[in-house]
């Protein structure tokens, strides 16, 4: 337990250091100002590409932090869980916590500019169906398993996963709020492109969240090994979650093409 506390303290210090450094860099770079003249020129392909690469940095930092967190917690959690033969559940919980840590890191990173007015709604309500359904179903099954006297899956196994799942959902909400309240492409000439970028980002975030919840739900059912039917259903959920995660990763890699990088605007005087 002491090792776990030390690891968590180191990760917290690392997160604070990264956010402080990002905040300092953001303050050093003044927002772009459009100089007076006959009119602002249109955005060149090089300017658009540079802005988009910068917009992808928070996601890259969050992914790196999530991987570091998973590696750091993995051995400690396995060692602690091994005492009660729950190594599989420890791996699932570690994955949930590291994913939550990455999303929280993404939310905590400073931005150069806020979206004026109230937070914008970037996605349709249907985009929330999969993540919300997976979240509620996962929690319901964990509680039902803990209350049941016919399965060897008590509160000792359920409570950490319930807390971790709630933290993951909260971290996803904060990440979505960051996308809806901060400008990704701060150049005023890219206002329409920024809106499209944030809409795609919000959709990818919800797809990623739904995939992570489904994958963890399925992995928990497999590791629990309560029956063949539950194990098969868990495998199906895990595969569905993996497919969602793959699509989210693919979309993140192609986001610059998706928002129209391939059609640069001509430079005019």
């Amino acid at each position: 337990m002491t090792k776990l506390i030390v690891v968590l303290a180191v990760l917290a210090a690392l997160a604070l250091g990264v956010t402080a450094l990002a905040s300092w860099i953001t303050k050093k770079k003044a927002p772009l100002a459009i100089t007076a003249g006959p009119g602002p020129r249109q955005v060149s392909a090089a300017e658009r590409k540079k802005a988009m690469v910068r917009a992808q940095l928070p996601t890259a930092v969050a992914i790196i932090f999530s991987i570091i967190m998973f590696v750091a917690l993995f051995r400690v959690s396995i060692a602690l869980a091994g005492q009660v033969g729950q190594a599989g559940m420890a791996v699932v919980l570690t994955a949930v916590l590291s994913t939550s840590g990455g999303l929280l890191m993404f939310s905590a990173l400073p931005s150069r500019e806020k979206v004026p007015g109230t937070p914008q709604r970037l996605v349709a309500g249907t985009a929330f169906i999969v993540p919300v359904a997976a979240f509620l179903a996962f929690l319901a099954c964990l509680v039902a398993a803990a209350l049941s006297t016919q399965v060897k899956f008590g509160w000792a196994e359920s409570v950490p996963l319930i807390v971790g799942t709630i933290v993951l959902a909260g971290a996803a909400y904060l990440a979505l709020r960051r996308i809806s309240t901060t400008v990704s492409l701060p150049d005023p000439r890219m206002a329409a492109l920024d809106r499209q970028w944030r809409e795609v980002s919000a959709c990818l975030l919800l797809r990623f969240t739904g995939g992570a919840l489904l994958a963890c739900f399925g992995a928990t059912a497999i590791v629990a090994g309560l029956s063949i039917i539950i194990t098969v259903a868990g495998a199906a959920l895990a595969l569905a979650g993996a497919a969602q995660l793959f699509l989210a990763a693919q979309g993140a890699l192609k986001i610059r093409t998706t928002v129209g990088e391939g059609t640069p605007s001509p430079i005019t005087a």
Side-chain angles (χ1 to χ4, degrees):
M1 184 61 68
T2 303
K3 290 183 178 180
L4 179 59
I5 294 174
V6 171
V7 170
L8 291 175
V10 171
L11 290 172
L14 177 61
L16 289 174
V18 171
T19 53
L21 177 61
S23 179
W24 179 78
I25 293 175
T26 302
K27 291 179 180 179
K28 295 289 286 186
K29 293 184 178 181
L32 178 65
I34 303 298
T35 57
R41 60 182 176 82
Q42 293 184 348
V43 183
S44 67
E47 290 174 323
R48 184 180 303 184
K49 180 178 180 180
K50 184 178 180 180
M52 288 183 175
V53 170
R54 286 183 176 177
Q56 288 180 303
L57 288 179
T59 302
V61 172
I63 292 172
I64 293 172
F65 181 78
S66 180
I67 294 173
I68 293 173
M69 187 172 179
F70 181 85
V71 173
L73 291 175
F74 181 76
R75 292 186 63 182
V76 178
S77 61
I78 290 296
L80 291 175
Q83 300 172 8
V84 292
Q86 294 296 329
M89 289 298 176
V91 173
V92 177
L93 182 59
T94 301
V96 171
L97 293 177
S98 58
T99 302
S100 303
L103 291 172
L104 289 173
M105 171 60 75
F106 176 84
S107 305
L109 290 174
S111 60
R112 294 176 61 184
E113 185 178 341
K114 295 287 186 181
V115 175
T118 58
Q120 298 176 347
R121 182 172 181 176
L122 302 174
V123 294
T126 53
F128 292 89
I129 293 177
V130 172
V132 171
F135 171 72
L136 295 177
F138 193 14
L139 288 184
C141 288
L142 288 173
V143 173
L147 292 174
S148 176
T149 58
Q150 300 178 356
V151 298
K152 297 179 180 180
F153 194 92
W155 288 109
E157 295 80 14
S158 292
V159 169
L161 287 173
I162 290 173
V163 173
T165 303
I166 293 174
V167 171
L168 175 57
Y173 168 77
L174 292 176
L176 183 62
R177 183 171 179 82
R178 182 190 193 276
I179 294 173
S180 64
T181 58
T182 61
V183 176
S184 296
L185 307 175
D187 191 326
R189 298 169 297 171
M190 300 184 192
L193 200 64
D194 171 73
R195 170 78 187 197
Q196 187 181 1
W197 180 280
R198 292 186 295 110
E199 287 176 349
V200 174
S201 298
C203 289
L204 292 176
L205 172 63
L206 291 175
R207 178 171 291 174
F208 171 81
T209 303
L213 289 169
L214 285 174
C216 291
F217 190 2
T220 302
I222 294 172
V223 171
L226 301 178
S227 68
I228 296 178
I229 295 178
I230 292 178
T231 301
V232 172
L237 288 173
L239 288 175
Q244 289 288 304
L245 292 174
F246 173 79
L247 292 174
Q250 186 181 53
L253 290 174
K254 296 182 178 180
I255 187 171
R256 283 187 283 167
T257 302
T258 303
V259 297
E261 184 186 13
T263 55
S265 303
I267 300 176
T268 58

